[in-house]
Amino acid sequence: AKSCGRGNFQFFSAAMNAATHERLLLENRLWQALEQDEFELYLQAQIDLRSGSVIGAEALLRWHHPELGMVGPDRFIPIAEESGLILPLGDWALQRAVLLLDRWRALGLGHLRLAVNLSARQCHGTGLLPLLDRLLRETGIDPALLELEITETAAMQDPERSRELLQQLRARGIKVAIDDFGTGYSSLSYLKLFELDRIKIDRGFVKDIETDPDDAAIVSATIGLAHALGLEVIAEGVETQAQADFLRGKRCDEAQGYLFARPVTVAEFEVLASTAETV
Ligand code: C2E
Ligand code: CA
Ligand code: CA
Ligand code: CA
């Protein structure tokens, strides 16, 4: 076996300590954070590529940590998944989202759709449907304005249960999108198994769309496949006008990305959606 130099060992151990330290800082506070109201939903606009108008938003969690400042979901969602906090946190996000849809109706923004991310645990637990039923009943919002995003990977952890859940969601009129499409190393056969409304093309395929012919081919074929199956397509991570033009040329329905809008606070999004009807 190769022996590691002492310097190397120290380097790894220092890096590990920093990572462990942050993890502990996050983990220790995570449960408290929900009670202390430290989470916030940011909203990122979703754009109709044909008209250029804002058709809705994706809700993205943010955590205002008292010591670390604003913490993005990539840093705390995995911990929340492991510890189980993702269940109450996910419920909180869903409730916030449905209340927002209710509020928008009163603000004259009742045409806007709101997409919420579901974690694997939420999909495979038993609390989701009763919660949704209660929220829909209490608010009377149009269920079609609520979209749930589930990753291919989460759905394929238990395909039979996912199939049932997605069917139950769609029976209620709630929209379902497959998130991070093409990144989950699964076969395409699940497209036959699941009832879906939309496919979300992962940012990883969009990034080099102008320079990498393989990515261009994959995106173009995905759009064709989705349409042939009667599904709509949204591309995420659109950062340049050239990417938007390419996608529009391939008849991609919708797009989301920094070119149009970053994730912003609810108040900022409401201004954006009422004023900038055309981007
Ligand atoms: P995601 O669902 O794939 O969300 C899209 C991510 O891409 C967001 O990161 C968004 O800010 C970022 N993004 C959007 N447009 C662009 C762009 O043009 N360029 C680049 N480079 N990035 C862009 P964010 O907000 O950090 O969220 C990361 C992930 O955390 C999400 O990935 C999602 O998997 C997870 N997440 C966020 N909110 C929730 C939630 O409420 N529940 C669950 N279970 N997961 C969530
Ligand atoms: Ca998503
Ligand atoms: Ca995604
Ligand atoms: Ca992604």
Side-chain angles (χ1 to χ4, degrees):
K2 251 194 239 163
S3 74
C4 247
R6 187 171 152 73
N8 257 337
F9 173 75
Q10 276 178 338
F11 171 77
F12 282 121
S13 123
M16 256 182 63
N17 279 338
T20 311
H21 180 67
E22 181 189 276
R23 202 190 153 87
L24 281 175
L25 269 181
L26 296 178
E27 215 172 80
N28 282 341
R29 213 184 151 82
L30 201 55
W31 286 85
Q32 215 180 327
L34 196 55
E35 280 165 39
Q36 307 274 326
D37 212 21
E38 290 171 7
F39 292 104
E40 185 176 357
L41 281 188
Y42 268 45
L43 302 182
Q44 185 177 32
Q46 298 183 325
I47 307 297
D48 179 311
L49 273 173
R50 247 178 315 167
S51 66
S53 47
V54 176
I55 41 91
E58 176 178 6
L60 295 161
L61 273 168
R62 298 289 181 266
W63 179 9
H64 300 281
H65 190 286
E67 289 153 63
L68 299 172
M70 173 97 99
V71 182
D74 285 335
R75 283 158 76 193
F76 66 82
I77 293 280
I79 304 175
E81 280 267 2
E82 269 174 51
S83 69
L85 181 78
I86 194 69
L87 288 174
L89 183 57
D91 286 357
W92 177 86
L94 263 178
Q95 171 158 339
R96 278 285 290 147
V98 171
L99 291 177
L100 266 180
L101 285 170
D102 196 30
R103 171 185 155 83
W104 287 347
R105 201 167 33 171
L107 287 178
L109 295 172
H111 58 288
L112 294 173
R113 185 179 79 206
L114 191 50
V116 180
N117 292 284
L118 284 187
S119 74
R121 282 217 199 200
Q122 280 174 290
C123 295
H124 302 122
T126 53
L128 184 63
L129 290 171
L131 172 68
L132 284 166
D133 284 337
R134 180 169 65 76
L135 292 172
L136 292 177
R137 197 174 55 239
E138 283 173 2
T139 59
I141 61 148
D142 176 0
L145 296 175
L146 181 63
E147 184 159 289
L148 299 181
E149 296 190 0
I150 170 171
T151 65
E152 197 176 288
T153 314
M156 293 312 283
Q157 278 180 19
D158 189 342
E160 186 47 37
R161 262 189 107 152
S162 302
R163 188 190 65 77
E164 231 173 273
L165 174 69
L166 300 192
Q167 195 207 323
Q168 288 289 320
L169 293 172
R170 289 191 86 245
R172 286 157 173 79
I174 295 168
K175 302 288 180 187
V176 174
I178 284 287
D179 204 355
D180 300 347
F181 181 80
T183 63
Y185 302 100
S186 38
S187 86
L188 291 173
S189 59
Y190 75 84
L191 292 173
K192 262 172 58 177
L193 186 65
F194 298 153
E195 284 186 37
L196 302 169
D197 297 283
R198 201 179 320 279
I199 280 178
K200 217 169 167 182
I201 300 180
D202 190 69
R203 176 166 88 231
F205 296 115
V206 174
K207 195 163 51 85
D208 299 322
I209 221 175
E210 303 149 75
T211 51
D212 187 331
D214 292 337
D215 283 335
I218 289 170
V219 167
S220 163
T222 301
I223 296 166
L225 173 68
H227 286 165
L229 292 168
L231 307 175
E232 298 207 317
V233 198
I234 183 166
E236 69 176 12
V238 178
E239 295 185 353
T240 69
Q241 190 59 51
Q243 290 166 347
D245 292 341
F246 177 94
L247 290 161
R248 195 182 295 106
K250 299 293 180 190
R251 305 280 176 271
C252 185
D253 304 285
E254 298 173 1
Q256 183 182 338
Y258 296 165
L259 172 67
F260 307 105
R262 299 214 164 221
V264 294
T265 63
V266 167
E268 287 170 312
F269 175 77
E270 286 170 353
V271 171
L272 181 113
S274 357
T275 55
E277 262 307 293
T278 309
V279 180

